[in-house]
Amino acid sequence: MVVTFIHKMVKDSLVLLLFCLFLFLFLFAEELKNISFITRIPSMFFNVNTIFLSIILEAIPFILLGVFVSAIIQSFVSENVIRRVLPRNAYLALIPAALLGIIFPICECAIVPVVRRLIKKGMPSHVGVVFMLSAPILNPVVYASTYFAFKSTPYVANARMFIGLISSIIIGLIIYRRFKGDNILKVQKEDHHHHNHHPGNRLLETLYHASDELFDTGKYLFIGAFLASLFQAFLDRNVLLSIGTSTTFAPMAMMGLGYVLSVCSSADAFVASSFGSTFTEGSILAFLVFGPMIDIKNTLMLFGYFKKKFVIYLLVVTPLVVYFSVYVFQLIFLK
């Protein structure tokens, strides 16, 4: 108990420190650059600041969307509703789960708390995983941004949706075979103290749930954004560019880049298009499919909400399935 308490205190203190740093840099970054001894600091350290702020500002609206959707599910959606709307057949349920992203425009910044809440409400684990992986790719906002980012090659948007759909279903099948009937969620003690103030008022109950969820999710966002900004600032992209034309290795490199950059799926197509003259189309698709499924931000959220054994398994299976899906797609359609 003492070790757990200390671990929690250290983690919460780190998050508070990052939050204060975020506010300080957001307000005074330009003034700091004019201080004499700070001007001698290498520019890449200021790049960490810029990237960190951009990731946070980009992700916060989607995090807010995700926590409110999660809170609404907690307050208004019953376990019986979830059981009624999903097919009882475990395999047939994968298809509507993958297509839910078309209806719910939720990106990877916000999807983890939503899926955790759905699983707690009775959604089968493998169905939740499929929804979690497919929604950040298949939602209409992402499709539109991909289409506009690749105006000269509009089929990239369709290919991204197709590979994302197939990959998420395959991963769901694997997860079902491996974790069938297992509880993949961490056992967490939730604080219901606030929620009992207005047991009959669902709107207030939703707001209380949203505030709890925002604090839980926000700490993983800040840590993940900080790590991603460090990687982006110090990553030597010349190494990536040297293997950009390899049909075999370029998709791996771009998947790794997608994981490290942690760009929101609503905007990552514009980042991917900037590599179009250097990397193969298959590797660009690998970036566009894998990045929204797994990145630094949602990896930390996954470890926070799901059991370690499941998360590690998912982190191994997802890149393998995406890589082979892209590789087969290259062989058939991108000769």
PDB file of all heavy atoms in Angstrom, residues 289-307:
ATOM      1  N   VAL A 289      -2.251   4.312 -41.091  1.00  0.00           N
ATOM      2  CA  VAL A 289      -3.061   3.292 -40.424  1.00  0.00           C
ATOM      3  C   VAL A 289      -2.561   3.016 -39.002  1.00  0.00           C
ATOM      4  O   VAL A 289      -3.346   2.976 -38.054  1.00  0.00           O
ATOM      5  CB  VAL A 289      -3.084   1.984 -41.248  1.00  0.00           C
ATOM      6  CG1 VAL A 289      -3.800   0.870 -40.473  1.00  0.00           C
ATOM      7  CG2 VAL A 289      -3.777   2.211 -42.588  1.00  0.00           C
ATOM      8  N   PHE A 290      -1.257   2.833 -38.862  1.00  0.00           N
ATOM      9  CA  PHE A 290      -0.734   2.446 -37.547  1.00  0.00           C
ATOM     10  C   PHE A 290      -0.739   3.597 -36.544  1.00  0.00           C
ATOM     11  O   PHE A 290      -1.082   3.400 -35.369  1.00  0.00           O
ATOM     12  CB  PHE A 290       0.688   1.895 -37.692  1.00  0.00           C
ATOM     13  CG  PHE A 290       1.280   1.446 -36.391  1.00  0.00           C
ATOM     14  CD1 PHE A 290       0.800   0.329 -35.747  1.00  0.00           C
ATOM     15  CD2 PHE A 290       2.314   2.167 -35.796  1.00  0.00           C
ATOM     16  CE1 PHE A 290       1.330  -0.086 -34.527  1.00  0.00           C
ATOM     17  CE2 PHE A 290       2.854   1.760 -34.582  1.00  0.00           C
ATOM     18  CZ  PHE A 290       2.369   0.629 -33.947  1.00  0.00           C
ATOM     19  N   GLY A 291      -0.373   4.807 -36.980  1.00  0.00           N
ATOM     20  CA  GLY A 291      -0.296   5.951 -36.073  1.00  0.00           C
ATOM     21  C   GLY A 291      -1.560   6.189 -35.261  1.00  0.00           C
ATOM     22  O   GLY A 291      -1.504   6.353 -34.035  1.00  0.00           O
ATOM     23  N   PRO A 292      -2.756   6.192 -35.902  1.00  0.00           N
ATOM     24  CA  PRO A 292      -3.989   6.383 -35.138  1.00  0.00           C
ATOM     25  C   PRO A 292      -4.334   5.208 -34.222  1.00  0.00           C
ATOM     26  O   PRO A 292      -5.079   5.377 -33.256  1.00  0.00           O
ATOM     27  CB  PRO A 292      -5.057   6.540 -36.227  1.00  0.00           C
ATOM     28  CG  PRO A 292      -4.311   6.969 -37.428  1.00  0.00           C
ATOM     29  CD  PRO A 292      -2.996   6.274 -37.350  1.00  0.00           C
ATOM     30  N   MET A 293      -3.841   4.022 -34.549  1.00  0.00           N
ATOM     31  CA  MET A 293      -4.141   2.859 -33.703  1.00  0.00           C
ATOM     32  C   MET A 293      -3.323   2.866 -32.417  1.00  0.00           C
ATOM     33  O   MET A 293      -3.854   2.687 -31.318  1.00  0.00           O
ATOM     34  CB  MET A 293      -3.872   1.562 -34.477  1.00  0.00           C
ATOM     35  CG  MET A 293      -4.868   1.268 -35.581  1.00  0.00           C
ATOM     36  SD  MET A 293      -4.527  -0.341 -36.332  1.00  0.00           S
ATOM     37  CE  MET A 293      -5.946  -0.515 -37.421  1.00  0.00           C
ATOM     38  N   ILE A 294      -2.010   3.068 -32.564  1.00  0.00           N
ATOM     39  CA  ILE A 294      -1.110   3.028 -31.418  1.00  0.00           C
ATOM     40  C   ILE A 294      -0.086   4.160 -31.550  1.00  0.00           C
ATOM     41  O   ILE A 294       0.617   4.243 -32.555  1.00  0.00           O
ATOM     42  CB  ILE A 294      -0.343   1.686 -31.337  1.00  0.00           C
ATOM     43  CG1 ILE A 294      -1.307   0.493 -31.270  1.00  0.00           C
ATOM     44  CG2 ILE A 294       0.586   1.687 -30.138  1.00  0.00           C
ATOM     45  CD1 ILE A 294      -2.021   0.328 -29.956  1.00  0.00           C
ATOM     46  N   ASP A 295      -0.015   5.023 -30.539  1.00  0.00           N
ATOM     47  CA  ASP A 295       1.056   6.001 -30.465  1.00  0.00           C
ATOM     48  C   ASP A 295       1.463   6.174 -29.004  1.00  0.00           C
ATOM     49  O   ASP A 295       0.951   5.476 -28.122  1.00  0.00           O
ATOM     50  CB  ASP A 295       0.672   7.337 -31.117  1.00  0.00           C
ATOM     51  CG  ASP A 295      -0.498   8.027 -30.414  1.00  0.00           C
ATOM     52  OD1 ASP A 295      -0.796   7.690 -29.253  1.00  0.00           O
ATOM     53  OD2 ASP A 295      -1.127   8.911 -31.037  1.00  0.00           O
ATOM     54  N   ILE A 296       2.391   7.077 -28.752  1.00  0.00           N
ATOM     55  CA  ILE A 296       2.902   7.223 -27.384  1.00  0.00           C
ATOM     56  C   ILE A 296       1.793   7.632 -26.417  1.00  0.00           C
ATOM     57  O   ILE A 296       1.681   7.093 -25.309  1.00  0.00           O
ATOM     58  CB  ILE A 296       4.052   8.256 -27.343  1.00  0.00           C
ATOM     59  CG1 ILE A 296       5.279   7.704 -28.058  1.00  0.00           C
ATOM     60  CG2 ILE A 296       4.415   8.597 -25.895  1.00  0.00           C
ATOM     61  CD1 ILE A 296       6.441   8.667 -28.126  1.00  0.00           C
ATOM     62  N   LYS A 297       0.957   8.576 -26.848  1.00  0.00           N
ATOM     63  CA  LYS A 297      -0.099   9.078 -25.950  1.00  0.00           C
ATOM     64  C   LYS A 297      -1.036   7.962 -25.510  1.00  0.00           C
ATOM     65  O   LYS A 297      -1.267   7.760 -24.321  1.00  0.00           O
ATOM     66  CB  LYS A 297      -0.914  10.179 -26.654  1.00  0.00           C
ATOM     67  CG  LYS A 297      -0.149  11.426 -27.025  1.00  0.00           C
ATOM     68  CD  LYS A 297      -1.091  12.553 -27.394  1.00  0.00           C
ATOM     69  CE  LYS A 297      -2.081  12.195 -28.493  1.00  0.00           C
ATOM     70  NZ  LYS A 297      -1.476  11.894 -29.790  1.00  0.00           N
ATOM     71  N   ASN A 298      -1.600   7.233 -26.500  1.00  0.00           N
ATOM     72  CA  ASN A 298      -2.594   6.241 -26.091  1.00  0.00           C
ATOM     73  C   ASN A 298      -1.963   4.968 -25.512  1.00  0.00           C
ATOM     74  O   ASN A 298      -2.637   4.195 -24.851  1.00  0.00           O
ATOM     75  CB  ASN A 298      -3.596   5.926 -27.213  1.00  0.00           C
ATOM     76  CG  ASN A 298      -2.973   5.293 -28.431  1.00  0.00           C
ATOM     77  OD1 ASN A 298      -1.879   4.743 -28.380  1.00  0.00           O
ATOM     78  ND2 ASN A 298      -3.676   5.381 -29.557  1.00  0.00           N
ATOM     79  N   THR A 299      -0.651   4.770 -25.743  1.00  0.00           N
ATOM     80  CA  THR A 299       0.028   3.653 -25.072  1.00  0.00           C
ATOM     81  C   THR A 299       0.002   3.858 -23.565  1.00  0.00           C
ATOM     82  O   THR A 299      -0.289   2.935 -22.793  1.00  0.00           O
ATOM     83  CB  THR A 299       1.483   3.527 -25.547  1.00  0.00           C
ATOM     84  OG1 THR A 299       1.500   3.195 -26.942  1.00  0.00           O
ATOM     85  CG2 THR A 299       2.217   2.431 -24.774  1.00  0.00           C
ATOM     86  N   LEU A 300       0.296   5.083 -23.129  1.00  0.00           N
ATOM     87  CA  LEU A 300       0.263   5.380 -21.699  1.00  0.00           C
ATOM     88  C   LEU A 300      -1.150   5.253 -21.143  1.00  0.00           C
ATOM     89  O   LEU A 300      -1.354   4.767 -20.027  1.00  0.00           O
ATOM     90  CB  LEU A 300       0.807   6.779 -21.442  1.00  0.00           C
ATOM     91  CG  LEU A 300       2.318   6.948 -21.678  1.00  0.00           C
ATOM     92  CD1 LEU A 300       2.718   8.406 -21.553  1.00  0.00           C
ATOM     93  CD2 LEU A 300       3.116   6.106 -20.705  1.00  0.00           C
ATOM     94  N   MET A 301      -2.138   5.688 -21.919  1.00  0.00           N
ATOM     95  CA  MET A 301      -3.531   5.544 -21.475  1.00  0.00           C
ATOM     96  C   MET A 301      -3.911   4.069 -21.361  1.00  0.00           C
ATOM     97  O   MET A 301      -4.602   3.667 -20.426  1.00  0.00           O
ATOM     98  CB  MET A 301      -4.464   6.255 -22.455  1.00  0.00           C
ATOM     99  CG  MET A 301      -4.331   7.756 -22.468  1.00  0.00           C
ATOM    100  SD  MET A 301      -5.511   8.512 -23.618  1.00  0.00           S
ATOM    101  CE  MET A 301      -4.813  10.164 -23.780  1.00  0.00           C
ATOM    102  N   LEU A 302      -3.462   3.269 -22.330  1.00  0.00           N
ATOM    103  CA  LEU A 302      -3.759   1.837 -22.298  1.00  0.00           C
ATOM    104  C   LEU A 302      -3.181   1.190 -21.037  1.00  0.00           C
ATOM    105  O   LEU A 302      -3.849   0.407 -20.359  1.00  0.00           O
ATOM    106  CB  LEU A 302      -3.207   1.154 -23.549  1.00  0.00           C
ATOM    107  CG  LEU A 302      -3.952   1.416 -24.857  1.00  0.00           C
ATOM    108  CD1 LEU A 302      -3.136   0.905 -26.046  1.00  0.00           C
ATOM    109  CD2 LEU A 302      -5.328   0.768 -24.847  1.00  0.00           C
ATOM    110  N   PHE A 303      -1.928   1.510 -20.719  1.00  0.00           N
ATOM    111  CA  PHE A 303      -1.312   0.946 -19.518  1.00  0.00           C
ATOM    112  C   PHE A 303      -2.007   1.454 -18.257  1.00  0.00           C
ATOM    113  O   PHE A 303      -2.002   0.773 -17.230  1.00  0.00           O
ATOM    114  CB  PHE A 303       0.178   1.296 -19.463  1.00  0.00           C
ATOM    115  CG  PHE A 303       1.046   0.340 -20.233  1.00  0.00           C
ATOM    116  CD1 PHE A 303       1.745   0.757 -21.356  1.00  0.00           C
ATOM    117  CD2 PHE A 303       1.170  -0.989 -19.834  1.00  0.00           C
ATOM    118  CE1 PHE A 303       2.551  -0.114 -22.070  1.00  0.00           C
ATOM    119  CE2 PHE A 303       1.971  -1.874 -20.535  1.00  0.00           C
ATOM    120  CZ  PHE A 303       2.663  -1.438 -21.659  1.00  0.00           C
ATOM    121  N   GLY A 304      -2.607   2.642 -18.325  1.00  0.00           N
ATOM    122  CA  GLY A 304      -3.305   3.178 -17.174  1.00  0.00           C
ATOM    123  C   GLY A 304      -4.645   2.519 -16.922  1.00  0.00           C
ATOM    124  O   GLY A 304      -5.085   2.418 -15.771  1.00  0.00           O
ATOM    125  N   TYR A 305      -5.306   2.046 -17.993  1.00  0.00           N
ATOM    126  CA  TYR A 305      -6.675   1.540 -17.870  1.00  0.00           C
ATOM    127  C   TYR A 305      -6.806   0.031 -18.061  1.00  0.00           C
ATOM    128  O   TYR A 305      -7.776  -0.565 -17.604  1.00  0.00           O
ATOM    129  CB  TYR A 305      -7.575   2.229 -18.902  1.00  0.00           C
ATOM    130  CG  TYR A 305      -7.725   3.718 -18.689  1.00  0.00           C
ATOM    131  CD1 TYR A 305      -7.867   4.579 -19.778  1.00  0.00           C
ATOM    132  CD2 TYR A 305      -7.737   4.275 -17.419  1.00  0.00           C
ATOM    133  CE1 TYR A 305      -8.016   5.945 -19.596  1.00  0.00           C
ATOM    134  CE2 TYR A 305      -7.890   5.633 -17.229  1.00  0.00           C
ATOM    135  CZ  TYR A 305      -8.025   6.468 -18.323  1.00  0.00           C
ATOM    136  OH  TYR A 305      -8.170   7.814 -18.141  1.00  0.00           O
ATOM    137  N   PHE A 306      -5.856  -0.582 -18.775  1.00  0.00           N
ATOM    138  CA  PHE A 306      -5.958  -1.998 -19.103  1.00  0.00           C
ATOM    139  C   PHE A 306      -4.819  -2.782 -18.445  1.00  0.00           C
ATOM    140  O   PHE A 306      -3.787  -2.219 -18.087  1.00  0.00           O
ATOM    141  CB  PHE A 306      -5.920  -2.219 -20.619  1.00  0.00           C
ATOM    142  CG  PHE A 306      -7.100  -1.648 -21.345  1.00  0.00           C
ATOM    143  CD1 PHE A 306      -7.128  -0.315 -21.736  1.00  0.00           C
ATOM    144  CD2 PHE A 306      -8.189  -2.447 -21.647  1.00  0.00           C
ATOM    145  CE1 PHE A 306      -8.225   0.217 -22.405  1.00  0.00           C
ATOM    146  CE2 PHE A 306      -9.283  -1.941 -22.318  1.00  0.00           C
ATOM    147  CZ  PHE A 306      -9.305  -0.601 -22.693  1.00  0.00           C
ATOM    148  N   LYS A 307      -5.009  -4.090 -18.320  1.00  0.00           N
ATOM    149  CA  LYS A 307      -3.993  -4.936 -17.709  1.00  0.00           C
ATOM    150  C   LYS A 307      -2.739  -4.983 -18.585  1.00  0.00           C
ATOM    151  O   LYS A 307      -2.822  -4.992 -19.815  1.00  0.00           O
ATOM    152  CB  LYS A 307      -4.549  -6.349 -17.496  1.00  0.00           C
ATOM    153  CG  LYS A 307      -5.626  -6.407 -16.417  1.00  0.00           C
ATOM    154  CD  LYS A 307      -6.135  -7.824 -16.201  1.00  0.00           C
ATOM    155  CE  LYS A 307      -7.176  -7.857 -15.076  1.00  0.00           C
ATOM    156  NZ  LYS A 307      -7.727  -9.209 -14.876  1.00  0.00           N
TER     157      LYS A 307
END
